[in-house]
Amino acid sequence: MTTRRVVLIGGPDSGKTNFIARFWVSALQPSSMLAASGSPDDIRYVEEILAHILQGGFAPRTDTTSEHALELELSSENDEDFASLIIPDVSGELWHDAVQLGELPQTWMNQLSEATGALIFVRVQSDVNVSRLDWVTSSELMALQGDGNDEEQEKANEVSTQVNLCEYVRFLEHTMRSASVERKCRIAVLVTAWDLLDPVTAAQGPFAYIEKEYPLFAGRVQDADEFEFAFYAVSVTGGDPVVDEEFKDTLLNSDFETVGYVKRKIGEAWSESTDFTTAIAWTIGMDGSETK
Ligand SMILES: Nc1nc2c(ncn2[C@@H]2O[C@H](COP(=O)(O)OP(=O)(O)OP(=O)(O)O)[C@@H](O)[C@H]2O)c(=O)[nH]1
Ligand SMILES: [Mg+2]
């Protein structure tokens, strides 16, 4: 059986951990694109994350010292392909620090070089997102340096989210190599908490969202010829149970495998699914698109 390692890359609060829990629920469904054929070793970790969502909340942010990984045996939809999949879940704080330092710790470099697919996460309306600075704001912030205003100074020093996203691609360029001669390495960009967007913005799709919010990253993606990219709009729950009591009731009375969605927009056509294994299946070439 081939071992495939998928890396989940994303800053703090970008939705990685909650996605893993929802991915696991889909993997338990035999009809999913990737179906689990056994229990993961670290089952308690996934079950604990899941418990938060099942109680109508979200899993808390990952501790910087936590070193968990979801490791499971999977088969593709028609049992034609089998894989042993490893998905490490590290705190976004660590990715953030790696960008600030301009380099990744060696152990991660090794993990990335073993990766068959990568998922980059960015979350809608996260307080941790740092918007791109325009020249006027930048110079005002720079002028504040040394004024003793810690919060403003911190803001001036902070690398913007789009620069972080570009740096993730650079890390992958240096490390990841395609496992298949037939195709390029695949990177799925997951825009999480899509349920928080207004309907007009949501209708334009995840790539349009990235182009508007993070134009530098959108340009980087278009220039990175050695990779194939796909953009997904993701909501683990399909709404926000934390702020919307009515939605929370609906969620608590639902079968969890039917809640939330993963959407793609190709041209004007949308595809939507409650199967959270699709993005990972695509990155590792187990989505049925590869001939054997
Ligand atoms: N509305 C909504 N909020 C979400 C969704 N997914 C994640 N969130 C919010 O995003 C927060 C962060 O999600 P996590 O999964 O913990 O993010 P993470 O990338 O693992 O964060 P770190 O562990 O800090 O790296 C959650 O506490 C929720 O508030 C979603 O589908 N919908
Ligand atoms: Mg986390």
Side-chain angles (χ1 to χ4, degrees):
M1 192 167 350
T2 334
T3 298
R4 282 147 160 132
R5 186 181 282 273
V6 174
V7 281
L8 268 58
I9 310 178
D13 200 43
S14 57
K16 302 179 293 297
T17 301
N18 283 280
F19 174 83
I20 288 184
R22 185 60 187 82
F23 168 87
W24 167 237
V25 173
S26 284
L28 287 173
Q29 312 304 312
S31 58
S32 291
M33 207 170 260
L34 299 176
S37 41
S39 284
D41 289 346
D42 203 353
I43 183 86
R44 266 210 24 221
Y45 171 64
V46 205
E47 296 288 354
E48 273 170 23
I49 313 172
L50 206 51
H52 289 279
I53 313 179
L54 294 174
Q55 285 161 21
F58 288 105
R61 308 251 310 268
T62 310
D63 195 297
T64 45
T65 56
S66 158
E67 280 185 18
H68 288 284
L70 179 63
E71 293 190 27
L72 66 169
E73 308 295 314
L74 291 162
S75 58
S76 66
E77 214 168 4
N78 38 19
D79 278 349
E80 278 183 358
D81 198 1
F82 297 88
S84 165
L85 189 70
I86 307 173
I87 315 171
D89 184 20
V90 298
S91 158
E93 219 62 66
L94 300 173
W95 286 110
H96 172 266
D97 293 352
V99 172
Q100 295 271 348
L101 291 170
E103 62 177 359
L104 274 180
Q106 191 57 44
T107 45
W108 290 17
M109 291 289 276
N110 298 345
Q111 278 200 20
L112 292 195
S113 58
E114 286 166 20
T116 321
L119 274 65
I120 295 182
F121 286 72
V122 57
R123 178 162 96 72
V124 168
Q125 291 176 18
S126 167
D127 293 341
V128 185
N129 288 345
V130 180
S131 46
R132 64 200 151 108
L133 301 174
D134 57 50
W135 292 113
V136 178
T137 335
S138 310
S139 55
E140 281 169 5
L141 286 171
M142 294 303 171
L144 282 167
Q145 296 228 24
D147 278 4
N149 182 337
D150 289 348
E151 204 177 306
E152 294 297 343
Q153 204 164 316
E154 214 170 274
K155 229 184 202 174
N157 292 335
E158 193 61 68
V159 176
S160 74
T161 300
Q162 61 174 349
V163 172
N164 279 296
L165 294 167
C166 293
E167 281 294 279
Y168 302 152
V169 175
R170 188 175 70 86
F171 290 146
L172 290 167
E173 270 172 355
H174 284 287
T175 49
M176 200 162 75
R177 298 284 167 264
S178 179
S180 157
V181 285
E182 288 162 34
R183 64 168 172 85
K184 297 177 180 179
C185 281
R186 289 178 172 172
I187 302 177
V189 178
L190 273 62
V191 185
T192 60
W194 193 256
D195 56 272
L196 297 176
L197 279 182
D198 65 90
V200 175
T201 312
Q204 290 163 2
F207 184 69
Y209 174 85
I210 294 283
E211 261 186 321
K212 181 160 172 279
E213 295 292 320
Y214 307 114
L216 194 70
F217 178 55
R220 184 74 173 83
V221 162
Q222 277 157 335
D223 288 343
D225 289 337
E226 61 275 55
F227 295 121
E228 208 181 320
F229 285 89
F231 291 80
Y232 294 85
V234 177
S235 172
V236 193
T237 45
D240 196 330
V242 181
V243 294
D244 184 345
E245 275 297 321
E246 207 177 307
F247 178 74
K248 183 175 173 176
D249 284 344
T250 318
L251 183 67
L252 292 175
N253 291 310
S254 309
D255 290 330
F256 194 53
E257 67 272 17
T258 63
V259 306
Y261 51 75
V262 177
K263 299 183 190 181
R264 268 185 89 174
K265 190 178 187 198
I266 299 172
E268 283 311 303
W270 280 94
S271 62
E272 177 171 347
S273 173
T274 52
D275 177 1
F276 276 64
T277 69
T278 52
I280 288 186
W282 178 77
T283 63
I284 61 176
M286 280 178 74
D287 60 334
S289 63
E290 256 172 46
T291 46
K292 298 229 114 257

